[in-house]
Amino acid sequence: MNPKRIVIVGGVAGGASAAARARRLSEDAEIIVLERGPHVSFANCGLPYFIGGEIGSRDSLLVQTPESLKARFNLDVRPWTEALEIRAEAREVSTRNVRTGETSVLPYDALVIATGASPVRPPIPGIDRPGHFVVRTVPDAERIQEWIVTRAARRAVVVGGGYIGLEMAEQLRLRGLDISLVEALPQVMAPLDPEMAAPLQEELHNNGIRLHLGDGVSAFEAPELGEGDWASVVLLKSGTRIPADLVILGLGVRPETGLARSAGLKLGATGGIAVDDQLRTSDPHIWAVGDAVEIRDPVTGSPGLIPLAGPANRQGRLAADSIFGRPGHYGGTWGTAVLRVFSMTAACTGPNERALQRAGVRYQAVHLHPQSHAGYYPGAQPIALKILYAPDSGRLLGAQAVGKDGVDKRIDVLATALQAGMTVDDLADLELAYAPPVGSAKDPVNLAGMIAQNVRDGSMPVVQWHELGAHLAERAILLDVRTAPERAEGAIPGSRHIPLHDLRTRLAELSADHDIVVHCATGQRSYYATRLLNHHGRRAFNLSGAFRTWKAAKDAGWIPSQTS
Ligand code: FAD
């Protein structure tokens, strides 16, 4: 295909990438970008940091302007221009200038839909009250800034514990506001498994953010007489009332598919635009990219919606390639994501346990708590790391990590391994850069692979934190092999204590009739103990992630008291 005119609807992540790539592939094509907002190619991911003040100037968010895109790429960028309807048969799109109301019709040879996703606004009574904001565009961010200043806002409620909600909670807190975070699920950051989200929740709590988990909003009300001059009082399903000067709605996003519907394009099961592996829609002259499209999870094969900037940018480039008939295909979206909350970073790649269960994919999990760099070099921080892999083949299925240092680098390595179809044996063998201030000779990624190898070859059977109750009900002995001072700081109720270095001489104290579940602080010493017990003919298991993972799950309320 050698299109004379390419029209791109949406001028931010996916749309701008498609436009710039198309120009690099053809100097002749006319490339028109329609954007209904005032800005193109702006840094929407930076909005929370502009609101919080870490990004000092609004202009830093404007990565390109229509003028710079004209000068550099000869793109015809039309801000304030909304695409209203696609007439696919006639290959034309109708447009309207949102400021003047002027309409026109634009024929195309190839069209790219990059309309993104719009924030969800469920029909909760009072949701449209003044002082309620979504965070999607630069004007949204400016409105929030202005409201905070003019109202001298002191208290905010953030509704939604996904990454936008958490980033906003962090940034408003850093501005000195008093924050309540409301999340209907019993945890924040749904892509993480609950024990991995627990350290994030602790970090939020430690920084003064009040968490209301497992509690949805039932209404936003006007303050009652004498209650104060609040913008809203947020009424939770539990009956809790939280007054607020402003409310941030971070309730997720929904793909913008109005245009695709107008063209009669096929939508997927999740409501996103259905595309093939070249991002082509059901119409051969229309491509779609970014948050608006339905993707396939390469691990589970399930359709999904994963609104992230990396996939949108890569898809934009690929769609342009496809328009010009170049080879290449989109392999799916793994959902690799990272989030910073105060001093903590959380990151993940691939599906979590819940997603694997939903898709009926068999998996095994291991948890570990390595140091971010050599323990003897100052400043090492623990990382809570979890990998999921196929029990039969050992193929990596997903990974999650939380900690104060070195989290992003481990997840990026694991994301690369995941996409390459590597196994846990490959992880154990990876040669990774090491010097004491930045890593370990056995990197956490290597260790994760080695631990999984031990589980797979039977040399270290594991019990997960959520399986412990069932083992104890079967009268297994829970054995703590930490030192006495460590145990004094907290222990799992019902556990017996024999420090690792006494275990050989005190074996007789452990009844031979029962299984033994061993734990230490992180799983390393309990691995040695498990081996020792196995060599002595005992059925022993290592508690995966040991005391730290158990405690994270317990503190977050996932372990009922009677099984603890
Ligand atoms: P967008 O970038 O949203 O662009 C769509 C554009 O289309 C919009 O400007 C819209 O005005 C325009 N449009 C829609 N309909 C029409 C129409 N009919 N006519 C004309 N124009 C139209 N992702 C990450 O990976 N990491 C992050 O840290 C991160 N942080 C984020 C923080 C915030 C506050 C937000 C809002 C998003 C964040 N994201 C992040 C998500 C990321 O920004 C999106 O996944 C990405 O921008 C999607 O690109 P897109 O091109 O599909 O849509």
Side-chain angles (χ1 to χ4, degrees):
M1 192 178 193
N2 209 359
K4 288 196 177 61
R5 178 185 277 172
I6 302 171
V7 173
I8 296 170
V9 186
V12 190
S17 296
R21 175 69 173 169
R23 173 57 71 228
R24 294 196 292 276
L25 297 178
S26 165
E27 195 49 26
D28 305 327
E30 184 187 5
I31 303 170
I32 301 172
V33 179
L34 308 177
E35 169 55 56
R36 80 176 159 207
H39 305 295
V40 285
S41 201
F42 67 89
N44 36 15
C45 306
L47 295 174
Y49 306 100
F50 168 61
I51 295 166
E54 282 190 50
I55 295 176
S57 137
R58 184 198 78 133
D59 290 349
S60 310
L61 298 171
L62 306 177
V63 182
Q64 296 285 348
T65 61
E67 295 72 32
S68 69
L69 289 170
K70 175 75 185 166
R72 182 175 292 187
F73 296 116
N74 189 24
L75 300 178
D76 177 354
V77 178
R78 304 182 186 177
W80 299 114
T81 308
E82 182 173 27
L84 293 177
E85 190 192 355
I86 298 170
R87 294 177 205 125
E89 289 281 300
R91 265 189 252 162
E92 58 187 30
V93 55
S94 61
T95 71
R96 183 184 55 161
N97 183 311
V98 294
R99 287 192 297 186
T100 63
E102 191 187 327
T103 58
S104 65
V105 170
L106 203 55
Y108 62 80
D109 298 306
L111 182 111
V112 180
I113 300 178
T115 46
S118 48
V120 171
R121 286 180 93 99
I124 301 172
I127 195 163
D128 293 324
R129 289 181 59 76
H132 291 194
F133 301 92
V134 296
V135 189
R136 186 184 180 194
T137 62
V138 176
D140 288 339
E142 289 175 319
R143 279 191 284 270
I144 295 170
Q145 291 267 30
E146 196 190 326
W147 184 272
I148 292 173
V149 174
T150 54
R151 295 273 305 202
R154 291 175 295 117
R155 297 178 79 167
V157 172
V158 176
V159 187
Y163 65 85
I164 294 178
L166 294 184
E167 287 173 356
M168 284 304 301
E170 182 215 49
Q171 288 299 306
L172 292 176
R173 183 77 192 122
L174 292 175
R175 268 189 83 141
L177 275 77
D178 176 280
I179 310 293
S180 299
L181 183 94
V182 178
E183 167 58 59
L185 293 174
Q187 67 167 86
V188 300
M189 277 299 280
L192 298 177
D193 285 317
E195 78 282 13
M196 302 302 288
L200 268 188
Q201 288 159 201
E202 195 185 344
E203 179 74 0
L204 290 162
H205 172 78
N206 290 344
N207 281 279
I209 292 184
R210 270 188 289 279
L211 291 175
H212 299 266
L213 301 178
D215 202 356
V217 176
S218 57
F220 299 97
E221 298 181 336
E224 287 169 5
L225 209 62
E227 206 173 10
D229 181 26
W230 305 106
S232 255
V233 177
V234 184
L235 177 63
L236 304 189
K237 297 211 163 111
S238 61
T240 306
R241 290 169 65 79
I242 319 172
D245 291 308
L246 80 150
V247 173
I248 302 291
L249 300 169
L251 290 157
V253 293
R254 184 174 295 133
E256 283 228 7
T257 53
L259 267 187
R261 285 172 205 271
S262 76
L265 301 182
K266 199 171 157 233
L267 301 185
T270 59
I273 304 171
V275 288
D276 66 12
D277 66 357
Q278 295 209 312
L279 289 318
R280 204 188 286 252
T281 67
S282 53
D283 181 298
H285 298 279
I286 305 178
W287 284 254
V289 302
D291 291 358
V293 305
E294 175 174 286
I295 55 85
R296 192 183 56 82
D297 177 332
V299 176
T300 62
S302 310
L305 299 169
I306 301 191
L308 288 171
N313 275 276
R314 288 185 286 119
Q315 290 167 8
R317 178 185 162 94
L318 238 157
D321 282 0
S322 171
I323 288 170
F324 287 97
R326 290 169 71 100
H329 77 280
Y330 190 68
T333 300
W334 281 263
T336 306
V338 63
L339 165 81
R340 185 206 69 187
V341 177
F342 301 106
S343 62
M344 194 72 90
T345 303
C348 59
T349 186
N352 63 12
E353 289 199 46
R354 267 191 308 273
L356 291 170
Q357 286 162 9
R358 252 197 327 266
V361 177
R362 288 185 61 231
Y363 65 90
Q364 172 76 55
V366 296
H367 298 81
L368 60 159
H369 298 272
Q371 297 291 318
S372 56
H373 59 248
Y376 61 80
Y377 185 88
Q381 297 286 340
I383 300 174
L385 179 60
K386 173 179 188 175
I387 63 165
L388 299 161
Y389 58 92
D392 301 337
S393 63
R395 193 168 65 89
L396 184 66
L397 300 174
Q400 300 161 44
V402 195
K404 295 191 170 176
D405 183 38
V407 163
D408 49 346
K409 130 167 153 168
R410 273 49 188 235
I411 286 298
D412 278 345
V413 171
L414 288 162
T416 310
L418 180 66
Q419 287 189 228
M422 288 187 181
T423 66
V424 294
D425 296 330
D426 296 322
L427 298 185
D429 268 354
L430 275 180
E431 184 179 312
L432 300 169
Y434 160 59
V438 291
S440 300
K442 274 187 204 156
D443 188 86
V445 173
N446 299 132
L447 290 173
M450 290 169 189
I451 293 170
Q453 282 180 320
N454 292 340
V455 176
R456 290 190 72 224
D457 70 14
S459 56
M460 191 187 70
V462 284
V463 165
Q464 301 297 329
W465 61 268
H466 51 84
E467 299 167 336
L468 182 59
H471 280 261
L472 298 183
E474 293 292 315
R475 303 189 55 228
I477 299 167
L478 179 58
L479 179 65
D480 178 356
V481 295
R482 295 174 301 165
T483 61
E486 285 176 286
R487 187 169 167 85
E489 285 177 18
I492 305 181
S495 57
R496 306 259 303 269
H497 182 224
I498 304 179
L500 176 62
H501 52 246
D502 295 341
L503 189 55
R504 276 189 187 80
T505 54
R506 294 176 58 187
L507 274 177
E509 293 176 29
L510 298 168
S511 153
D513 300 333
H514 300 292
D515 289 353
I516 304 169
V517 180
V518 193
H519 82 82
C520 59
T522 64
Q524 188 177 11
R525 283 167 293 166
S526 41
Y527 163 51
Y528 305 149
T530 306
R531 294 301 301 141
L532 190 160
L533 290 164
N534 287 158
H535 285 308
H536 285 270
R538 314 299 290 274
R539 260 172 62 87
F541 301 81
N542 195 354
L543 179 63
S544 186
F547 186 73
R548 277 201 199 150
T549 298
W550 179 88
K551 188 166 186 309
K554 173 86 176 116
D555 289 350
W558 293 98
I559 300 177
S561 300
Q562 63 271 25
T563 57
S564 61

